[in-house]
Amino acid sequence: MKRFSRLILLILMCLGGCSADHFAEINPHQPFVATVNIGEPSLTFYDTAGNHIATWPFDKAYTGGTLIQQDRILMYGHQLTEAHLYELSSGKKIKTLKTGIGTTNAYYDEASRQFYLTNSESNTVTSYDMQGRKGKQQKLYNYPMSMTAYDGKLYVINYKDTVLSVLDSHSLKVVDEWKIEPSSHGLQVVKEQMWMGGHGQGAKPNETIDVYDLQQGILQRQIHAPLMPIAFARHEDNIAVISHGTSMLYEMTTTGELAQEIKIGANPFAVAYFHDRLVVAGYDDHMLYMIEEGQVLTQVKTNEGPFQLIVRENRE
Amino acid sequence: MKSFAKKIWVLIFTFSIITIAFMYILTDFLYEQLYVEDTESSMVEFGKRLTTKYKGGAVTNELIAEIEEHNNFGVYNVFAVRNPRELSACLPFEINHHALIGPEERKQLLAGEAVTKIGYEERFERDVISVILPFTDENRLEGILYLYYPLAKISELAKEEVLLLLACVLAFTLAVGYFIAKALGRILRPLRELQRAAKEVTKGNYDTRVAVTSSDEVGQLSDAFNQMAQAIQQEDESKKAFLATVSHELRTPISYVKGYSESVQNGTLTGEKAEEAIHLIAREANRMERLTNELMQLVHADTEESELYPLVLAEAIRDVVHLVENKVATKGIDLQMVLDEELIIEADEEKFKQIMINLLENAIRYSNPGKAVHIITTLEEPYADIQVIDYGIGIPPEDVPKITERFYRVNKARSRADGGSGLGLSIVDQLVKQHKGLLTIKSELGKGTTVSVKLPLMEE
């Protein structure tokens, strides 16, 4: 009997091993914040109170992921030739996208029901439909990466260049090009303005958020937010900015007035709003922080190198 | 490259050079290693003391200035950095500029460990030893303390001395070569001496000897050479003496034969005298025949291989006694035998008989008429002891040891009168040796002689 149960166990283990891409299922009604960890490639899911829900450990060197609608996550890697679509409710890989090496970012635009992948090898942006079918492709400048979509337009920063490309979100035709600082990263549309962060040039770290006029693409002003503001999050009229150089989290009004600031984490790269709270991931200290009114409510250990945050709120 | 000395010199010299080179490299390596290590650890220590100035929070301008102050007094270059761009904080984003520390070093620093590097640093455009220490606050890498020391200074330190060192090495090498050559000359001088002496011996100068100056292998070889030369010389001398004796022994009967035959031919001797002369000639011819026979025996005894087989001793002795019966009777000798009938020896029959004939003839020859001669055989494991005892004239004690030498006679004057050739005991001695036996001669002047021959018994 003992031997028999061992055999069963062995078969189960083998089955488990055979379906390595089958991860823990995530309840579709469960709101979560997930960290994309790139030190040890994985997704770690937490609920609103910061309790750990699940961990999806990957055997592929993913460098990022994005939520597509409510039940799918697209995982990509800069050194991988494929991107993969996973279904959260089943924990299964449902689609493989042949992207070629060099994927730098993925962005899902709810309005156009498309997602976009930028590629630093081909220096292009490519659109995909909800079924993962390849749509249009547009050649851009050196190293396209940071993206946001607004009002039928897709804004793409060419990271190793001095150009922001404005494209039509359907045709991917270039409609405008703005002159920007090199190593720019992080985009946030705020009331007909485009807030843009960046790392800075050479050894000099960037200290400001550059605010561009959305229509003209002209630099209007700079908001002091040292050092190296590179990620934004918006909740109603609050804009959260994370500056990884000084591990500073700023919360500002839409006019750029500082509402509060807090030193948080070690070298944080990601910020998000989750259930009216701010969530920050510290890349160097591998911690996830939940902040409310300038106070850290919860802090939990993540896997090594949390680089991005993926948030799913309750379905309305 | 013919000479042995040269070969050894080259060998030792090569080894010395290799040793010197190895020592040089080792010293250089150790020096640099130890020096670098020492520098590194004192840099870490110094750095750790400096980091105590950091009290947490952001790295301030004051702190940076304060640390840079130390460049005015300290040995090492030191500075503090808080720029996250220099600390590779932007990784995993690709960064175009070369940061002071790489991702692995950042990891190490975040863990609170010191980073030490040796090698070319682009920032300083030279080889340096660098020590980097973190300023961390709540897991944040707020800044680093960077200490460096140019490696060139260390190697320059060594380079200054390099010429002197090379000169010293050269001088030392030359000195080593010279002394090795000298020492080898000294060590090998006896060998050269031996070589010269061997050549001399080859030429026939058997009295050549070498001086033995040491007790080492070469000294022992010299000693052995001297012994060998002495043996050759002795052999040579005895050969000469032998030839002289042989010629002498033959010349006397020849001159008799020549003289008497001429006299008979001339008619000087006639009648009875001529008869007597012819008798004398015949006697001397017999003598010569016996002498040459015995010489032949001697040569044969030297060269011929003996075939040993079991021999009934008593029977063989009786056979011999039968052969000398005539002589015994002529001289009226009372020959008595006490023989152990059971003794069987390992012997060559012919050669054994020769031994016995020679011994018995001697005993008869040197016994006065009417005296007794005894033959006694006894068992003396593992030998059979055969004693031939006479009560004759005996041998003076000083002559006993030489009695087995060729042509040695106790009474030189009456050599031919008593009829002996002086070879009998030499032959006996040779033959006994061939049988792996023992020969002992005891004698008392005027009382008689006992010759004992011990021959190995047949092995059962």
Side-chain angles (χ1 to χ4, degrees), chain B residues 105-366:
Chain B
E105 289 151 1
R106 183 179 169 87
K107 235 181 216 178
Q108 226 173 309
L109 290 165
L110 272 166
E113 293 165 18
V115 172
T116 52
K117 292 192 284 186
I118 297 166
Y120 185 77
E121 206 57 58
E122 228 171 88
R123 192 64 58 101
F124 315 119
E125 292 180 335
R126 61 203 305 187
D127 283 316
V128 292
I129 308 178
S130 339
V131 168
I132 310 164
L133 293 158
F135 293 133
T136 45
D137 184 21
E138 289 178 40
N139 294 327
R140 273 179 218 119
L141 188 65
E142 292 284 355
I144 54 168
L145 182 74
Y146 199 109
L147 296 102
Y148 69 94
Y149 186 70
L151 260 183
K153 280 193 183 170
I154 294 172
S155 38
E156 272 160 19
L157 208 72
K159 260 174 205 151
E160 275 172 30
E161 313 290 336
V162 122
L163 265 181
L164 183 67
L165 198 70
L166 277 179
C168 284
V169 166
L170 194 71
F172 181 69
T173 312
L174 287 176
V176 163
Y178 175 75
F179 284 117
I180 292 170
K182 275 273 155 196
L184 272 178
R186 222 184 146 73
I187 292 167
L188 295 177
R189 192 181 303 151
L191 278 183
R192 278 198 291 276
E193 190 73 5
L194 269 175
Q195 187 191 20
R196 186 194 54 75
K199 274 183 185 160
E200 285 296 310
V201 169
T202 314
K203 280 183 202 163
N205 300 326
Y206 301 124
D207 57 346
T208 310
R209 297 288 183 277
V210 289
V212 181
T213 50
S214 63
S215 57
D216 57 11
E217 286 84 345
V218 178
Q220 287 165 17
L221 182 64
S222 304
D223 201 31
F225 175 84
N226 283 348
Q227 284 173 22
M228 183 192 74
Q230 195 178 356
I232 293 173
Q233 192 180 11
Q234 270 174 6
E235 195 62 28
D236 184 53
E237 274 164 14
S238 64
K239 188 183 79 187
K240 280 176 186 162
F242 178 72
L243 284 174
T245 317
V246 169
S247 342
H248 179 74
E249 291 291 326
L250 285 172
R251 206 171 53 194
T252 318
I254 287 171
S255 57
Y256 268 103
V257 170
K258 196 184 166 217
Y260 283 115
S261 59
E262 275 172 1
S263 299
V264 172
Q265 212 171 18
N266 295 345
T268 324
L269 292 173
T270 50
E272 206 171 300
K273 290 227 166 142
E275 197 76 17
E276 202 179 321
I278 288 165
H279 182 71
L280 266 170
I281 288 167
R283 196 191 72 191
E284 290 305 314
N286 279 338
R287 251 179 101 73
M288 279 192 283
E289 189 190 15
R290 202 172 67 230
L291 185 65
T292 46
N293 277 344
E294 284 183 353
L295 279 171
M296 291 285 279
Q297 277 174 21
L298 202 60
V299 172
H300 282 168
D302 249 349
T303 54
E304 256 182 23
E305 285 284 312
S306 312
E307 230 180 278
L308 304 183
Y309 41 87
L311 193 65
V312 180
L313 186 60
E315 214 168 289
I317 289 174
R318 274 194 286 272
D319 283 350
V320 174
V321 168
H322 188 66
L323 289 175
V324 294
E325 254 173 4
N326 263 345
K327 284 181 183 165
V328 170
T330 315
K331 216 165 178 184
I333 295 293
D334 174 20
L335 186 67
Q336 292 186 15
M337 289 184 278
V338 183
L339 302 177
D340 186 335
E341 295 293 334
E342 302 206 331
L343 294 179
I344 299 173
I345 56 167
E346 284 274 332
D348 180 319
E349 191 178 0
E350 284 308 309
K351 288 181 178 172
F352 174 72
K353 283 181 177 169
Q354 188 64 54
I355 291 170
M356 289 313 292
I357 289 169
N358 286 11
L359 291 181
L360 284 174
E361 279 185 346
N362 270 356
I364 295 162
R365 187 176 299 135
Y366 299 113

Side-chain angles (χ1 to χ4, degrees), chain A residues 209-223:
Chain A
I209 301 162
D210 292 352
V211 180
Y212 289 83
D213 172 79
L214 201 57
Q215 300 308 320
Q216 321 285 303
I218 296 163
L219 179 66
Q220 288 186 320
R221 65 188 185 112
Q222 291 182 312
I223 304 167

Side-chain angles (χ1 to χ4, degrees), chain A residues 38 78 143 159-160 185 199-200 202-203 205 227-228 244-245 247 263 265-267 269 284-285 307, chain B residues 58 82-86 88-97 106-107 110 138-142:
Chain A
I38 61 174
H78 191 246
Y143 215 101
Y159 178 70
K160 292 186 182 175
H185 189 76
H199 294 279
L227 284 172
M228 301 196 277
H244 79 90
S247 306
K263 199 168 179 94
N267 203 19
F269 283 115
D284 282 348
D285 58 354
F307 184 55
Chain B
R82 65 166 172 222
N83 180 357
R85 297 283 286 168
E86 293 288 18
S88 281
C90 295
L91 288 164
F93 288 96
E94 276 192 29
I95 41 176
N96 284 334
H97 102 286
R106 183 179 169 87
K107 235 181 216 178
L110 272 166
E138 289 178 40
N139 294 327
R140 273 179 218 119
L141 188 65
E142 292 284 355

Side-chain angles (χ1 to χ4, degrees), chain B residues 411-454:
Chain B
N411 187 345
K412 277 100 189 159
R414 54 173 210 178
S415 60
R416 277 157 298 278
D418 55 31
S421 64
L423 288 172
L425 277 176
S426 281
I427 293 167
V428 169
D429 188 44
Q430 287 275 356
L431 294 175
V432 169
K433 275 179 189 159
Q434 276 189 8
H435 283 83
K436 295 188 177 71
L438 301 169
L439 174 71
T440 34
I441 299 166
K442 283 181 206 158
S443 189
E444 222 174 308
L445 194 61
K447 288 196 173 170
T449 306
T450 302
V451 179
S452 155
V453 173
K454 286 180 181 156

Side-chain angles (χ1 to χ4, degrees), chain A residues 30-131:
Chain A
Q30 170 74 58
F32 67 77
V33 58
T35 56
V36 179
N37 313 300
I38 61 174
E40 41 184 322
S42 55
L43 274 174
T44 40
F45 298 86
Y46 303 91
D47 69 9
T48 50
N51 297 314
H52 177 257
I53 303 169
T55 297
W56 285 15
F58 298 115
D59 54 3
K60 293 183 178 65
Y62 293 130
T63 52
T66 192
L67 182 71
I68 292 168
Q69 292 185 306
Q70 286 291 307
D71 197 29
R72 275 182 283 171
I73 274 187
L74 177 76
M75 297 302 299
Y76 58 88
H78 191 246
Q79 296 304 313
L80 303 178
T81 54
E82 295 172 341
H84 301 112
L85 262 175
Y86 292 89
E87 194 171 60
L88 289 165
S89 54
S90 65
K92 281 180 184 161
K93 181 156 76 181
I94 54 167
K95 177 97 185 169
T96 296
L97 277 61
K98 303 270 178 205
T99 57
I101 206 164
T103 305
T104 52
N105 195 15
Y107 179 79
Y108 171 64
D109 178 28
E110 180 70 41
S112 67
R113 291 191 160 257
Q114 286 189 109
F115 59 89
Y116 306 93
L117 294 182
T118 44
N119 189 297
S120 68
E121 290 293 311
S122 57
N123 290 327
T124 56
V125 62
T126 310
S127 62
Y128 293 83
D129 67 10
M130 287 301 95
Q131 278 67 49

Side-chain angles (χ1 to χ4, degrees), chain A:
Chain A
M1 193 63 203
K2 210 171 188 180
R3 191 174 289 178
F4 180 72
S5 57
R6 259 190 209 165
L7 188 72
I8 293 287
L9 192 72
L10 200 76
I11 290 166
L12 282 175
M13 275 168 73
C14 178
L15 282 173
C18 294
S19 57
D21 287 335
H22 179 198
F23 299 112
E25 296 159 10
I26 309 294
N27 184 342
H29 305 291
Q30 170 74 58
F32 67 77
V33 58
T35 56
V36 179
N37 313 300
I38 61 174
E40 41 184 322
S42 55
L43 274 174
T44 40
F45 298 86
Y46 303 91
D47 69 9
T48 50
N51 297 314
H52 177 257
I53 303 169
T55 297
W56 285 15
F58 298 115
D59 54 3
K60 293 183 178 65
Y62 293 130
T63 52
T66 192
L67 182 71
I68 292 168
Q69 292 185 306
Q70 286 291 307
D71 197 29
R72 275 182 283 171
I73 274 187
L74 177 76
M75 297 302 299
Y76 58 88
H78 191 246
Q79 296 304 313
L80 303 178
T81 54
E82 295 172 341
H84 301 112
L85 262 175
Y86 292 89
E87 194 171 60
L88 289 165
S89 54
S90 65
K92 281 180 184 161
K93 181 156 76 181
I94 54 167
K95 177 97 185 169
T96 296
L97 277 61
K98 303 270 178 205
T99 57
I101 206 164
T103 305
T104 52
N105 195 15
Y107 179 79
Y108 171 64
D109 178 28
E110 180 70 41
S112 67
R113 291 191 160 257
Q114 286 189 109
F115 59 89
Y116 306 93
L117 294 182
T118 44
N119 189 297
S120 68
E121 290 293 311
S122 57
N123 290 327
T124 56
V125 62
T126 310
S127 62
Y128 293 83
D129 67 10
M130 287 301 95
Q131 278 67 49
R133 283 184 297 237
K134 200 167 164 181
K136 302 279 190 314
Q137 189 171 60
Q138 177 62 46
K139 178 99 180 158
L140 297 172
Y141 292 89
N142 196 11
Y143 215 101
M145 181 154 62
S146 202
M147 287 181 279
T148 195
Y150 177 72
D151 198 18
K153 283 180 187 131
L154 180 71
Y155 298 82
V156 185
I157 293 175
N158 297 290
Y159 178 70
K160 292 186 182 175
D161 222 317
T162 53
V163 178
L164 177 142
S165 303
V166 185
L167 316 172
D168 181 275
S169 58
H170 288 282
S171 66
L172 292 187
K173 290 224 168 81
V174 179
V175 293
D176 201 0
E177 283 174 355
W178 303 353
K179 189 169 162 46
I180 57 166
E181 289 294 316
S183 295
S184 289
H185 189 76
L187 288 168
Q188 182 67 50
V189 177
V190 182
K191 290 193 172 169
E192 291 306 305
Q193 291 176 330
M194 180 64 85
W195 289 22
M196 194 186 305
H199 294 279
Q201 201 179 353
K204 192 173 164 24
N206 171 40
E207 294 185 12
T208 60
I209 301 162
D210 292 352
V211 180
Y212 289 83
D213 172 79
L214 201 57
Q215 300 308 320
Q216 321 285 303
I218 296 163
L219 179 66
Q220 288 186 320
R221 65 188 185 112
Q222 291 182 312
I223 304 167
H224 193 66
L227 284 172
M228 301 196 277
I230 48 119
F232 300 94
R234 183 173 182 175
H235 179 62
E236 293 165 358
D237 280 344
N238 299 318
I239 316 293
V241 183
I242 199 82
S243 294
H244 79 90
T246 40
S247 306
M248 289 301 291
L249 170 67
Y250 303 100
E251 200 167 24
M252 299 176 179
T253 64
T254 50
T255 54
E257 277 167 52
L258 188 65
Q260 59 171 335
E261 61 175 30
I262 174 173
K263 199 168 179 94
I264 188 87
N267 203 19
F269 283 115
V271 63
Y273 279 101
F274 179 49
H275 256 61
D276 300 340
R277 288 181 192 139
L278 272 165
V279 186
V280 171
Y283 182 74
D284 282 348
D285 58 354
H286 325 303
M287 296 292 279
L288 180 74
Y289 299 90
M290 291 190 169
I291 303 135
E292 199 170 70
E293 295 183 355
Q295 296 295 316
V296 176
L297 276 182
T298 321
Q299 57 184 74
V300 283
K301 194 96 188 153
T302 68
N303 277 11
E304 206 178 299
F307 184 55
Q308 290 180 344
L309 288 170
I310 296 171
V311 171
R312 183 176 80 178
E313 301 278 4
N314 274 345
R315 206 186 284 265
E316 293 294 320

